[in-house]
Amino acid sequence: MKASPGARSWMAAGVRHELLTRALPALRHDMAAPVSVMRMSILLLKRQLGSATSGDAPPLDADAALERLGLIEEQVASLAAGVRSLRDWELATDDAGITRSALVLQCTGLMRVAFELNGIGLQIDEALAPEEGEPRYAAGAALRYLVLGALGYLHDSVPDLSRIRIEADGDAALCLVGGRGDAEPVEPMAGAHRAPRALAIDAIALQALADGLGYAVQVEGESVRFALGAEIVPAD
């Protein structure tokens, strides 16, 4: 029986949820790191204040205290930015678009540790290095899900995978290629998590994700290709 439009929408939403779940450890780490720094800075500042008020210790070093406060302020700003960035995962939120190089760096940054724990290295084509004046593409949140979906598909579906190479495909598309036999293979960590078979992202799940986001993907063997869509034209 052919799935109804509502069922296909739920399937696409389920794939997006699985991708967000896989990215959460990296997002959580990015937001927990400033908290750790703040806690240490506050502890040292409390010790300085305690020593200064004990009567036997030298007076409080104002410059050192201001430095600690400045560090705490920086970490609070970093944490606030991390919390605000969670809105970037909402498809209904208007965004300013994203460049192709920034998209690749964001997605590989989110998944690199998890992939390397499973012995899979992520390689980025030199043509995807950041450049001045790069075009931006609309719907940054959707594109992020699409790249993560392609990574997840190769991760879950290609047997004996040891590397994924992300390449520029023309001026406005990407090609992700799975491979084996790296010259310098990444050793998988014992007990590293792999997606359960029931939650693996296969070709059907990837196609449902792309359809739900409004993009066309081409799955050819151990590669995935897709265009980034409409370029944002800067306002005059």
Side-chain angles (χ1 to χ4, degrees):
M1 183 175 66
K2 189 175 181 180
S4 68
R8 290 196 296 269
S9 295
W10 275 109
M11 185 175 182
V15 178
R16 294 198 304 272
H17 179 269
E18 171 64 15
L19 293 172
L20 179 56
T21 299
R22 297 187 188 192
L24 271 178
L27 295 172
R28 185 167 56 240
H29 176 270
D30 289 345
M31 287 190 285
V35 175
S36 298
V37 176
M38 283 189 292
R39 290 181 64 184
M40 182 59 68
S41 298
I42 291 172
L43 177 61
L44 293 174
L45 188 58
K46 287 176 66 176
R47 287 181 177 176
Q48 287 180 328
L49 289 170
S51 298
T53 56
S54 65
D56 299 328
L60 177 67
D61 186 337
D63 291 338
L66 287 173
E67 183 179 350
R68 296 288 179 194
L69 289 172
L71 180 59
I72 293 171
E73 187 177 30
E74 290 177 6
Q75 299 306 312
V76 169
S78 178
L79 180 59
V83 173
R84 285 195 301 269
S85 73
L86 294 177
R87 292 200 317 167
D88 295 342
W89 294 85
E90 300 175 17
L91 294 178
T93 302
D94 291 333
D95 57 52
I98 192 169
T99 65
R100 184 168 63 172
S101 63
L103 174 67
V104 171
L105 286 175
Q106 283 185 14
C107 293
T108 53
L110 286 169
M111 303 309 300
R112 186 177 298 280
V113 172
F115 276 52
E116 289 183 350
L117 286 176
N118 287 293
I120 302 169
L122 295 179
Q123 303 172 350
I124 302 176
D125 185 1
E126 292 181 359
L128 292 173
E131 295 180 358
E132 188 72 25
E134 281 187 80
R136 303 179 73 87
Y137 298 92
L143 288 172
R144 184 185 298 106
Y145 278 117
L146 193 58
V147 174
L148 292 177
L151 287 171
Y153 164 75
L154 294 172
H155 176 276
D156 296 352
S157 303
V158 177
D160 303 319
L161 184 69
S162 65
R163 70 177 184 274
I164 297 175
R165 181 170 175 80
I166 306 176
E167 302 174 347
D169 187 7
D171 294 328
L174 288 171
C175 178
L176 288 76
V177 184
R180 306 175 183 83
D182 269 329
E184 297 181 1
V186 180
E187 288 294 330
M189 180 176 287
H193 173 73
R194 292 297 293 264
R197 191 66 184 172
L199 293 177
I201 298 174
D202 56 15
I204 295 175
L206 179 60
Q207 187 63 60
L209 172 71
D211 290 345
L213 296 173
Y215 291 85
V217 297
Q218 293 178 289
V219 180
E220 301 173 351
E222 297 175 357
S223 69
V224 180
R225 299 173 183 270
F226 54 87
L228 300 182
E231 179 181 336
I232 297 176
V233 179
D236 294 333

